[in-house]
Amino acid sequence: LGHMAGNLMNLCNPGSRSAAFIGSKDVFAQSNSMNCFAETLEAHGAEMTVAYETRVENRISSLLTENLVANYPDVTGIFVGVSQSLGVIEKLEQNGILDKYKIITVDTYPEIMAHLKQGSIVATLDRHPCRMGQVALYVLYQYLVNGVRPERNILVPPSVILPAVCEEYQMD
């Protein structure tokens, strides 16, 4: 997700300074996503200026967005790598500065899709949680019933959803 978000940010906001919001640096997937985002930005001459840990709470992401606005006026890109996007978006809306930022999120729940449709989010990355669950159950079934050992890594690639196709997008 981090590489995808970094590439998207470089396309829509080249050379910019960006911020990342993740749940916790102690969670490997989130930390890895943040690091990949930073690496991808830097490979194209951009920069991840600051990273915030929200503990996956909109209230915390809202407070951290206040910090971002007050202390990092040169940041114009935001990657919200977990589901607390609404705290960030709503705080920027309240301050009347949402249009200053290029925002990339993850997830496709209705509120995010509404913001995507309105253009306040440039893209969202769908992690396909239902498909991940289906694959996990299928692999478990195959192992328990048929003795088929699963592959070491089974990946469900994310999808990029842009405003132009959000109405046609089918959530899992």
Side-chain angles (χ1 to χ4, degrees):
L1 289 176
H3 285 301
M4 290 176 78
N7 280 315
L8 287 167
M9 190 63 73
N10 283 320
L11 287 171
C12 70
N13 204 16
S16 67
R17 294 180 187 268
S18 293
F21 287 79
I22 62 168
S24 172
K25 292 177 184 173
D26 295 330
V27 176
F28 174 77
Q30 294 172 18
S31 178
N32 188 51
S33 183
M34 176 192 67
N35 291 335
C36 290
F37 178 67
E39 289 170 12
T40 305
L41 289 176
E42 290 170 12
H44 294 92
E47 175 185 317
M48 185 178 77
T49 304
V50 63
Y52 292 106
E53 293 179 87
T54 68
R55 303 294 177 208
V56 193
E57 291 189 30
N58 280 318
R59 180 182 55 80
I60 295 173
S61 65
S62 179
L63 292 170
L64 293 172
T65 302
E66 285 182 18
N67 178 279
L68 172 71
V69 170
N71 296 307
Y72 300 95
D74 54 343
V75 167
T76 58
I78 297 174
F79 170 48
V80 187
V82 287
S83 59
Q84 75 287 348
S85 306
L86 293 178
V88 174
I89 294 165
E90 289 170 358
K91 181 54 68 176
L92 296 173
E93 275 182 322
Q94 289 170 3
N95 289 329
I97 56 172
L98 183 59
D99 60 342
K100 173 186 174 184
Y101 297 92
K102 302 293 184 193
I103 302 172
I104 297 169
T105 64
V106 297
D107 292 328
T108 55
Y109 51 89
E111 297 87 351
I112 291 300
M113 296 305 280
H115 281 287
L116 185 65
K117 183 179 178 180
Q118 294 168 7
S120 35
I121 296 172
V122 297
T124 194
L125 306 174
D126 185 4
R127 299 179 280 186
H128 302 290
C130 290
R131 193 171 309 149
M132 282 192 272
Q134 290 168 340
V135 169
L137 287 175
Y138 177 77
V139 167
L140 180 62
Y141 173 82
Q142 288 297 323
Y143 178 71
L144 294 175
V145 174
N146 300 319
V148 177
R149 295 183 69 80
E151 297 175 32
R152 180 160 167 77
N153 293 309
I154 300 171
L155 303 176
V156 177
S159 298
V160 177
I161 295 92
L162 302 171
V165 297
C166 69
E167 286 189 25
E168 291 83 26
Y169 186 74
Q170 296 290 327
M171 291 186 284
D172 286 335

